Amino acid sequence: MSAVPGLKEDCEELLGAFQQADTVRFERFAELWRERRFHTIFYGRIRALERNKITKKTLDVAQQYFFPPYSFQIRVGALYLLYGLYNAQLCQPKQKIRIALKHWPEIQKFQLDLLDAQHYDAVYIFRRLRLARAFHFTAMPKLLTYRTKKKIEKNYFKEEFKDPSNRVNSLITNDVLEELMNIHDHYQKMKCVISADKSQPDKALSLIKDDFVVNLKDITLEHQEWQQNRMKLLRNAKVAPETEDKKKEETLLKSEGSERANALARIKYKSYSAVVEVSRSRRHRQVQLESSESGPSCGKSPGRSKKASRTPQPARRGSSEQAAEEAVTRHIGMPIIVEEDSDE
Amino acid sequence: MAAVVPDYELAELYTRAFRVGALGLGWRRLLGPPDLSLAVEGEKEEEEDAAVAAALGCVPGTAAELRAVCSIDMLMSSGVEEDPDVIPEDSSLLTLRIRRKALERREETIIVDRACRQETLTYEMESHATGKRPDDPTDLIEEGELLLTLNIFYPVIFQKHKDHKPYQTVLVLGSQKLTELRDSISCVSDLQIGGEFSCQPDQAPEHISKDLYKSAFFYFEGIFYNDKRYPECRDMSRTIIEWSESHDRGYENLQSVKMEDYVFNDLSLKIGFPYLYCHQGNCEHIIVITDIRLIHHDDCLDRNLYPLLVKKHWLCTRKCFVCKMYTARWVTNRDSLAPEDPCFFCDVCFRMLHYDAEGNKLGEFLAYPYVDPGIFN
């Protein structure tokens, strides 16, 4: 089945706006719907046969957003969208919304969640759809016609609508951390037992970092925060595609990016511009600073720049290392060795 | 029979096999009487606020508020009369902008823009039985009945059908027998009349192949369902079963049973998977079950109309070579009077060309009655 052109974009735009509104109230959705005059989506001189086909496809597209892995707010929005589309359609008798048996438990759970959270408008709307017998209770969501030759479109999930998939958290859960903590303590105790000094383990036995469990926890928390920030940033970036807002979002992203680049460039400049005064015996190998032409290294890979910032001791390193680095990062004010280096 | 939840075996293509009746069970135990009801659509009676409040666990005041806030009027055009044929000028919807461009293009290029007869036929077939109710209440379909949608492919092999094989779509009820489906499938090979009749054109026998060769079978999930209603019917699947058993070919036990003993609810099927219907000994049709769902009050509810044909392929009929007007009824081979081999004639032209006034055969030729695949148009 070929798609209705523009439909997915319109639905996603409406759902995106609903997500931005950060509410699940039907009133808000209705406002957004009326703004866009969404009920006109079936307009146009369409004959009956074509209209049936288009309406079926429209309901099918909207229905996809009603199920996981979409976030709670998007699913409520999809429910409202289905309500609107079902009632706005021009087919007589109305085209129905298909629900597969495997999805029904998810819907029931969703209803319970809504009731618990007292989102009565969503529950009421689903109830109204059900009473209007707007559903076809089917075996599978789509008609399966064994079209092997046709390219089966991979289901494209809009990133912003999904609940952020937190793989790190699902791997390193609280249970895992607790267990690790216990094992760590046990290990420390074992070491103490076999050491000479019973209160602390021998120095020879210190083979791991003592605080690694705490570090692990911190890292996962950091990751989670980063992910949330990234989602927020993505969401902000997608707000209102009008030109002046576009500029704002561009500058927002750009400023984020360039801020970092500027900070890194500053650090590099500081570390490499300070030339170490070598000892008298090595005076013949004194490094001289030569600056290069280009400015801050916006285009450099973050990996390398991170390395530079995380090892703030290039002055400590010998000149040979600096020569090796110089070949890689040309555009920073690197000190250039006057003479050829030899093994130190 | 335990309830079952169908799911994909091969993603987006076909499901695992399951008992059809179990799907019905699965749905019926989850839904309530209002969902399954087939009663005629009532007027938009608003629910009592008290009923809503009881169901939602809120106060009736909230229920009244909900009724006002969530009314569909909140989403419709505000009182202003709109013409659905006119796309608003300033629409913010991408769908409408694209649609308007397409419409403008059509206005420029198409002289007359209306439904051609194929489109009318397709639409009529799709919707003619919608909502039909029988006069006799015993013919009314029961609530909770299952409706299967089958695509039955034509056996006709034309070059132009290489990529999209033509098919017809049939709706059957879960409680219907396989034999009812078998009787409803109209295939051109059933109407063939075997034999060469150049010497006696008026004596083409009345028996068409359908009457002579009554055997047929369905193949679903390793079981052959053979038509054994008449004494002439033979078990055509015997050959296949013997073949598979003769060597270890890797097929599970293939069984052979009687078609008339089974209804669709008894079958184990995969949705979206090709199966076989074979009749006339060698006329094979692929059958794909595309959908199974519960019956709805807007469907056709007259049991006598099922199996219901909702879509068929329009095949152009071959016309007589002489008059180019009538559908061909005869085909000749090795015909000294015809310009090509084989050559098709309508009845009148055939007799005029090949026989004199007394009915004597003129020239050398072989003539066979011809049934055009487009006969079911």
Side-chain angles (χ1 to χ4, degrees), chain B residues 11-206:
Chain B
E12 308 293 323
L13 210 51
Y14 56 85
T15 67
R16 285 189 287 270
F18 63 94
R19 207 79 179 281
V20 174
L23 175 74
L25 269 179
W27 267 123
R28 284 193 295 271
R29 69 174 179 175
L30 293 174
L31 300 173
D35 301 306
L36 299 171
S37 153
L38 296 177
V40 177
E41 181 114 27
E43 318 82 47
K44 293 279 184 246
E45 352 140 343
E46 290 294 337
E47 267 191 300
E48 287 292 327
D49 287 344
V52 175
L56 268 53
C58 63
V59 292
T62 317
E65 204 185 307
L66 285 172
R67 186 155 44 90
V69 166
C70 302
S71 135
I72 198 61
D73 297 324
M74 297 286 279
L75 299 176
M76 294 297 126
S77 60
S78 44
V80 174
E81 268 306 306
E82 282 180 354
D83 182 8
D85 279 347
V86 173
I87 297 181
E89 279 297 322
D90 53 347
S91 180
S92 62
L93 296 171
L94 183 61
T95 317
L96 288 182
R97 289 205 294 271
I98 297 177
R99 196 177 291 159
R100 201 218 330 260
K101 272 210 208 89
L103 272 176
E104 283 166 6
R105 247 200 323 269
R106 263 173 53 185
E107 260 165 60
E108 286 165 23
T109 52
I110 300 179
I111 303 169
V112 179
D113 192 8
R114 59 156 196 261
C116 63
R117 54 194 182 144
Q118 269 90 344
E119 188 183 322
T120 316
L121 174 72
T122 316
Y123 177 67
E124 277 305 304
M125 291 208 68
E126 210 178 81
S127 56
H128 76 284
T130 318
K132 273 218 175 98
R133 279 158 196 269
D135 299 320
D136 184 359
T138 53
D139 290 335
L140 190 68
I141 296 176
E142 280 173 13
E143 291 177 3
E145 175 78 82
L146 285 173
L147 189 70
L148 293 91
T149 315
L150 309 175
N151 280 0
I152 304 173
F153 288 80
Y154 290 89
V156 182
I157 301 173
F158 289 131
Q159 275 304 308
K160 63 183 176 182
H161 292 148
K162 254 190 309 196
D163 295 318
H164 299 280
K165 204 137 190 245
Y167 60 89
Q168 43 179 282
T169 308
V170 173
L171 298 178
V172 288
L173 300 171
S175 58
Q176 283 192 302
K177 291 205 225 163
L178 288 177
T179 46
E180 293 179 67
L181 174 66
R182 184 251 197 271
D183 292 335
S184 79
I185 296 178
S186 48
C187 174
V188 70
S189 62
D190 277 336
L191 305 171
Q192 303 289 0
I193 300 167
E196 202 275 314
F197 294 103
S198 56
C199 303
Q200 61 280 26
D202 301 319
Q203 286 173 30
E206 309 92 51

Side-chain angles (χ1 to χ4, degrees), chain A residues 224-268:
Chain A
Q224 200 177 12
E225 271 171 30
W226 168 81
Q227 204 175 31
Q228 280 171 354
N229 286 340
R230 181 170 156 271
M231 288 297 287
K232 252 190 232 137
L233 195 69
L234 266 172
R235 224 175 281 166
N236 287 338
K238 290 273 169 25
V239 164
E242 269 79 57
T243 40
E244 64 267 59
D245 288 322
K246 222 183 206 158
K247 286 213 192 100
K248 246 193 266 168
E249 106 206 12
E250 276 172 11
T251 50
L252 181 76
L253 285 171
K254 196 151 77 98
S255 64
E256 238 248 353
S258 55
E259 238 177 55
R260 209 153 56 101
N262 284 336
L264 288 166
R266 272 200 302 274
I267 294 171
K268 274 185 223 157

Side-chain angles (χ1 to χ4, degrees), chain A residues 63-129:
Chain A
Q63 179 236 49
Q64 284 171 20
Y65 297 101
F66 188 43
F67 300 112
Y70 289 105
S71 67
F72 183 79
Q73 209 188 3
I74 294 296
R75 290 176 70 181
V76 177
L79 173 62
Y80 297 153
L81 182 64
L82 280 171
Y83 180 60
L85 288 173
Y86 179 76
N87 285 299
Q89 65 175 294
L90 304 167
C91 297
Q92 201 48 248
K94 290 204 189 315
Q95 295 297 330
K96 313 288 184 286
I97 304 167
R98 290 174 65 90
I99 298 197
L101 184 57
K102 59 178 176 156
H103 288 150
W104 191 252
E106 283 159 9
I107 296 182
Q108 291 297 89
K109 188 167 162 304
F110 189 56
Q111 287 293 99
L112 285 174
D113 289 342
L114 287 172
L115 265 177
D116 284 338
Q118 298 194 331
H119 295 308
Y120 291 125
D121 43 8
V123 183
Y124 180 75
I125 282 181
F126 185 74
R127 199 185 151 74
R128 289 216 46 86
L129 277 175

Side-chain angles (χ1 to χ4, degrees), chain A residues 28-274:
Chain A
R28 191 76 188 92
F29 181 85
E31 263 174 46
L32 296 168
W33 171 286
R34 279 196 304 271
E35 254 171 55
R36 290 157 181 74
R37 303 190 66 225
F38 218 84
H39 69 284
T40 59
I41 200 152
F42 294 113
Y43 282 16
R45 265 196 343 265
I46 316 175
R47 289 194 292 268
L49 184 68
E50 183 75 17
R51 190 167 54 224
N52 281 355
K53 216 161 47 150
I54 286 185
T55 311
K56 275 190 210 150
K57 288 183 198 170
T58 308
L59 288 173
D60 186 51
V61 165
Q63 179 236 49
Q64 284 171 20
Y65 297 101
F66 188 43
F67 300 112
Y70 289 105
S71 67
F72 183 79
Q73 209 188 3
I74 294 296
R75 290 176 70 181
V76 177
L79 173 62
Y80 297 153
L81 182 64
L82 280 171
Y83 180 60
L85 288 173
Y86 179 76
N87 285 299
Q89 65 175 294
L90 304 167
C91 297
Q92 201 48 248
K94 290 204 189 315
Q95 295 297 330
K96 313 288 184 286
I97 304 167
R98 290 174 65 90
I99 298 197
L101 184 57
K102 59 178 176 156
H103 288 150
W104 191 252
E106 283 159 9
I107 296 182
Q108 291 297 89
K109 188 167 162 304
F110 189 56
Q111 287 293 99
L112 285 174
D113 289 342
L114 287 172
L115 265 177
D116 284 338
Q118 298 194 331
H119 295 308
Y120 291 125
D121 43 8
V123 183
Y124 180 75
I125 282 181
F126 185 74
R127 199 185 151 74
R128 289 216 46 86
L129 277 175
R130 211 166 148 179
L131 284 175
R133 294 182 282 180
F135 298 116
H136 268 167
F137 301 106
T138 71
M140 298 303 286
K142 288 202 176 70
L143 261 65
L144 299 172
T145 52
Y146 201 66
R147 295 287 220 142
T148 42
K149 282 207 177 138
K150 221 176 190 175
K151 238 199 309 175
I152 298 166
E153 284 176 38
K154 263 209 88 174
N155 264 338
Y156 153 64
F157 289 127
K158 206 159 151 64
E159 269 306 315
E160 293 82 39
F161 288 178
K162 275 208 287 189
D163 262 337
S165 66
N166 217 334
R167 287 186 137 116
V168 177
N169 262 15
S170 58
L171 182 65
I172 307 187
T173 59
N174 281 338
D175 292 337
V176 170
L177 280 175
E178 213 178 289
E179 183 124 356
L180 277 174
M181 206 69 225
N182 288 340
I183 296 175
H184 191 66
D185 286 335
H186 198 62
Y187 178 58
Q188 296 290 83
K189 288 209 192 78
M190 292 297 292
K191 283 203 282 191
C192 291
V193 163
I194 63 173
S195 306
D197 178 8
K198 297 293 171 187
S199 65
Q200 65 173 10
D202 274 342
K203 281 290 178 310
L205 290 174
S206 106
L207 296 163
I208 62 163
K209 288 209 181 76
D210 282 339
D211 53 353
F212 103 96
V213 182
V214 180
N215 278 350
L216 189 62
K217 186 168 63 93
D218 288 336
I219 291 173
T220 44
L221 270 173
E222 207 180 295
H223 172 86
Q224 200 177 12
E225 271 171 30
W226 168 81
Q227 204 175 31
Q228 280 171 354
N229 286 340
R230 181 170 156 271
M231 288 297 287
K232 252 190 232 137
L233 195 69
L234 266 172
R235 224 175 281 166
N236 287 338
K238 290 273 169 25
V239 164
E242 269 79 57
T243 40
E244 64 267 59
D245 288 322
K246 222 183 206 158
K247 286 213 192 100
K248 246 193 266 168
E249 106 206 12
E250 276 172 11
T251 50
L252 181 76
L253 285 171
K254 196 151 77 98
S255 64
E256 238 248 353
S258 55
E259 238 177 55
R260 209 153 56 101
N262 284 336
L264 288 166
R266 272 200 302 274
I267 294 171
K268 274 185 223 157
Y269 189 72
K270 251 197 299 190
S271 44
Y272 290 118
S273 58

Side-chain angles (χ1 to χ4, degrees), chain B residues 315-321 323-330 344-348 370-375:
Chain B
L315 287 162
C316 284
T317 56
R318 241 195 264 265
K319 302 290 189 289
C320 168
F321 185 82
C323 62
K324 308 263 198 292
M325 264 204 318
Y326 293 103
T327 310
R329 295 259 318 275
W330 288 93
F344 297 90
F345 298 96
C346 69
D347 202 43
V348 173
Y370 174 73
V371 185
D372 191 274
I375 199 169

Side-chain angles (χ1 to χ4, degrees), chain A residues 261-308:
Chain A
N262 284 336
L264 288 166
R266 272 200 302 274
I267 294 171
K268 274 185 223 157
Y269 189 72
K270 251 197 299 190
S271 44
Y272 290 118
S273 58
V275 178
V276 176
E277 180 89 36
V278 295
S279 59
R280 273 179 203 276
S281 57
R282 310 278 311 148
R283 203 53 73 85
H284 63 285
R285 283 186 161 275
Q286 170 67 51
V287 262
Q288 284 169 6
L289 184 62
E290 260 187 41
S291 64
S292 61
E293 332 77 66
S294 37
S297 58
C298 291
K300 285 294 166 242
S301 67
R304 254 187 277 133
S305 20
K306 246 198 206 156
K307 195 157 68 114

